[in-house]
Amino acid sequence: MMSEALLAQQMQGTISPIRQCPTFHRLNLEYVAFLRGLQPPNIAKLLDNGIRGNLHQSSKSGEEMSSLHAEMEWQATTIFNQSLQLLQDKEHFRKRLLANSNGSFVLYRAGMSADLASKKLSESLVVSDTGVSQRILLAEQLLIDALSVNEHNYRAHFELGWIYLFLLDKLPESTFHLTFAMQQADVCNPQFAQFVRRHLADAWYGLQKFGESAELMMSVLPHALPGDLEVRYELSRYLAASGETQAAAQQLAQVVGRSPLYYVQAQVEPDFAGNSELVGVLQDLRSVRVQRIQHYVHAQWQQNALASLALPDQIDSGALFQQVVEQHERVMTHLPYVTLSQREQQIGARILAASQQRIIREVRLRSRHYEQVAEKERQRWSWINQTGGLLVHLSTILLLASLMFYLLRFVLDLFGIGNLLDADAMVSNILGSMLLLGSAGTMLLQFVPWGMKKLLVKQMELDNTVSFLKSSS
């Protein structure tokens, strides 16, 4: 893996030219990856550092970048594949130049000079600050010498134009060499010609010829790969700079709708800043994501059994569901676009789960409410049950006393003195009182406050509903 010091040096020295600082664009990195033979992890690191730098310069947080790891890897792989294609094309072009030299040492030496220039240019990306300018100037001179011998070397024209565009800030010279490279490559390497056109459009952009930049990118668009969103993003920038706001908005919407990475970049893009229509496009795209989640949630709710289940105590499951949705909608207005775009179904599923939990909680709360009301009523009328208990207790005492009297008289009868306890009338009165007190006590013990049974029935229905909802979830 590339060291942090080297990453920082390449970002500062090459990836962010002075004329574009502090804004990073992927175009700045595409040829660097070829020169240095960077692997996808290194390219992804440079992409991440570049966009984080954009966010930092605009005083925005870069926290959402961690969630764009997959996007970064995809972009890095795309650039890596492009660098491999550039390498294969260069090898093929070198062999063709050698075959066309017909043994001419001058032409062979010119080709070697161009190759050496590429090497020196590659070295300039990793040497210390004191050696950077020397190697860049040497690469420039080697390329000029090679072109003085063979002006049809379109790769040398492109590399010299690239040096002028990104390293030396000589934009008129850059447009000259890039135009020549484009015209030459159109004949024998149309794919490379489209790559040159993108750099030429960037050079015209640096010269504030925004119309020419947009026109060039429009010619590149039909030849771009379906997944190459960078071309459309560059086109939206040039259209915005040239005043074609509506066309820029259309291109930007297509790019951002397919990749949240470009939403992050567009938020800090100087070409879009201050343009109310383009800022509105970004806000509308965010609203579209929220609406997609809302549509998903409502569609799934209609298929949920809770939507049609009749709940006890006139509980409205639809109203509770809408209440939860509104709460989550307020939260979604503060979520980053990246989160909304990457976790649409997850957010929707969470809202549905929260709705079900809210309904279960409402049923449980109703049950606890009725339980508390019943308990208050029971405590309010508990003196009646307590009185009944006291009466039952007294009747029990009277019964035991009567039993003890008859037992004692039976014992005395054995000794022939049973007539001492001849009090049947009094005992009969006691037994009658016992029966009266026992009956009254039993009735008072069974007393239930008015409406208590209805509360208990409702509580039982609610508890059964909670058990059913939990088992079905």
Side-chain angles (χ1 to χ4, degrees):
M1 289 290 289
M2 191 183 300
S3 67
E4 292 294 330
L6 179 55
L7 280 168
Q9 181 176 334
Q10 290 196 345
M11 287 300 303
Q12 182 178 5
T14 303
I15 309 306
S16 296
I18 295 175
R19 66 182 178 82
Q20 290 185 338
C21 194
T23 305
F24 162 79
H25 294 113
R26 200 187 84 179
L27 183 66
N28 313 143
L29 174 60
E30 291 182 355
Y31 202 65
V32 172
F34 161 74
L35 288 173
R36 290 301 305 157
L38 298 179
Q39 297 299 309
N42 305 130
I43 300 173
K45 186 70 173 178
L46 285 173
L47 282 168
D48 183 76
N49 285 356
I51 297 177
R52 285 183 186 274
N54 291 347
L55 295 171
H56 177 72
Q57 292 293 338
S58 300
S59 301
K60 289 185 177 292
S61 172
E63 293 179 358
E64 65 265 38
M65 294 301 296
S66 58
S67 63
L68 292 170
H69 184 67
E71 289 275 346
M72 289 292 183
E73 290 184 342
W74 179 80
Q75 292 270 21
T77 302
T78 301
I79 297 175
F80 175 71
N81 293 334
Q82 182 188 70
S83 68
L84 291 180
Q85 183 63 42
L86 290 173
L87 180 62
Q88 293 173 1
D89 289 347
K90 189 166 187 177
E91 290 296 326
H92 179 72
F93 184 63
R94 180 189 292 115
K95 293 177 180 178
R96 193 172 68 189
L97 285 180
L98 184 60
N100 294 338
S101 66
N102 295 322
S104 172
F105 177 74
V106 176
L107 290 176
Y108 173 76
R109 185 175 178 277
M112 293 298 294
S113 295
D115 292 340
L116 182 58
S118 296
K119 182 178 179 182
K120 292 300 178 183
L121 189 58
S122 175
E123 291 175 356
S124 69
L125 302 175
V126 294
V127 298
S128 61
D129 293 339
T130 57
V132 171
S133 58
Q134 296 177 358
R135 282 173 170 78
I136 292 175
L137 294 176
L138 178 57
E140 177 192 13
Q141 190 58 50
L142 287 170
L143 289 170
I144 292 174
D145 292 342
L147 290 172
S148 65
V149 176
N150 183 9
E151 64 176 3
H152 299 294
N153 187 340
Y154 63 83
R155 290 298 294 250
H157 274 291
F158 169 78
E159 203 154 272
L160 185 57
W162 189 86
I163 292 175
Y164 288 145
L165 176 61
F166 289 119
L167 303 182
L168 299 181
D169 200 22
K170 296 181 179 180
L171 298 181
E173 292 86 345
S174 176
T175 58
F176 172 79
H177 287 285
L178 291 175
T179 301
F180 200 99
M182 178 188 68
Q183 294 171 348
Q184 292 289 324
D186 269 334
V187 178
C188 53
N189 193 346
Q191 185 175 0
F192 183 76
Q194 304 306 325
F195 184 67
V196 178
R197 275 188 174 84
R198 293 177 56 208
H199 288 78
L200 179 57
D202 197 49
W204 284 120
Y205 173 85
L207 290 171
Q208 298 187 354
K209 299 291 184 67
F210 305 125
E212 287 83 346
S213 296
E215 186 177 349
L216 274 172
M217 289 307 299
M218 288 293 289
S219 66
V220 173
L221 190 59
H223 305 281
L225 296 174
D228 193 353
L229 302 179
E230 186 71 16
V231 173
R232 290 188 180 275
Y233 184 77
E234 292 168 1
L235 176 57
S236 66
R237 287 179 48 226
Y238 300 149
L239 288 171
S242 64
E244 299 288 339
T245 304
Q246 185 174 0
Q250 292 176 353
Q251 296 294 333
L252 182 61
Q254 293 184 45
V255 173
V256 173
R258 295 168 61 184
S259 172
L261 179 65
Y262 287 99
Y263 184 92
V264 175
Q265 178 68 15
Q267 283 183 304
V268 295
E269 184 61 61
D271 296 310
F272 303 149
N275 191 317
S276 59
E277 187 170 343
L278 291 173
V279 173
V281 167
L282 295 177
Q283 294 175 348
D284 290 344
L285 289 169
R286 179 188 179 86
S287 299
V288 167
R289 290 294 181 182
V290 175
Q291 291 170 7
R292 285 166 60 98
I293 295 174
Q294 291 172 336
H295 176 75
Y296 170 82
V297 169
H298 284 85
Q300 293 297 314
W301 171 253
Q302 295 301 323
Q303 301 175 10
N304 196 303
L306 276 174
S308 57
L309 181 64
L311 298 177
D313 201 33
Q314 298 181 344
I315 296 176
D316 188 349
S317 60
L320 295 174
F321 163 75
Q322 189 60 37
Q323 183 184 97
V324 173
V325 170
E326 290 174 357
Q327 292 173 349
H328 280 79
E329 284 174 355
R330 288 194 291 271
V331 174
M332 284 192 288
T333 58
H334 301 287
L335 289 178
Y337 176 83
V338 175
T339 303
L340 292 173
S341 62
Q342 291 183 340
R343 299 170 56 190
E344 280 188 13
Q345 291 194 356
Q346 185 177 353
I347 294 172
R350 183 169 294 180
I351 294 175
L352 290 171
S355 300
Q356 185 166 352
Q357 291 301 318
R358 176 68 182 89
I359 293 170
I360 293 175
R361 186 168 68 253
E362 180 64 23
V363 175
R364 185 184 289 113
L365 286 174
R366 294 282 184 94
S367 174
R368 298 291 82 80
H369 170 71
Y370 288 132
E371 182 181 3
Q372 292 172 2
V373 172
E375 180 63 22
K376 288 181 180 179
E377 287 295 312
R378 189 192 65 79
Q379 292 178 359
R380 179 182 176 185
W381 298 98
S382 61
W383 62 271
I384 296 178
N385 302 108
Q386 293 172 358
T387 302
L390 178 62
L391 294 178
V392 171
H393 184 68
L394 288 175
S395 67
T396 303
I397 293 175
L398 292 176
L399 176 63
L400 291 175
S402 299
L403 291 175
M404 291 297 296
F405 173 79
Y406 282 114
L407 179 63
L408 181 60
R409 193 169 69 174
F410 175 74
V411 172
L412 291 177
D413 284 340
L414 294 177
F415 291 99
I417 55 174
N419 57 349
L420 294 177
L421 293 179
D422 188 11
D424 291 337
M426 183 182 68
V427 174
S428 298
N429 292 333
I430 292 174
L431 289 174
S433 301
M434 181 271 299
L435 291 174
L436 180 62
L437 292 175
S439 300
T442 302
M443 292 179 62
L444 293 177
L445 278 175
Q446 295 177 351
F447 172 77
V448 177
W450 296 275
M452 180 72 75
K453 291 183 179 180
K454 186 176 180 180
L455 291 175
L456 293 174
V457 169
K458 284 188 175 183
Q459 182 183 350
M460 186 178 299
E461 289 179 351
L462 292 167
D463 288 341
N464 292 337
T465 303
V466 170
S467 301
F468 172 75
L469 292 178
K470 284 185 174 182
S471 63
S472 60
S473 61

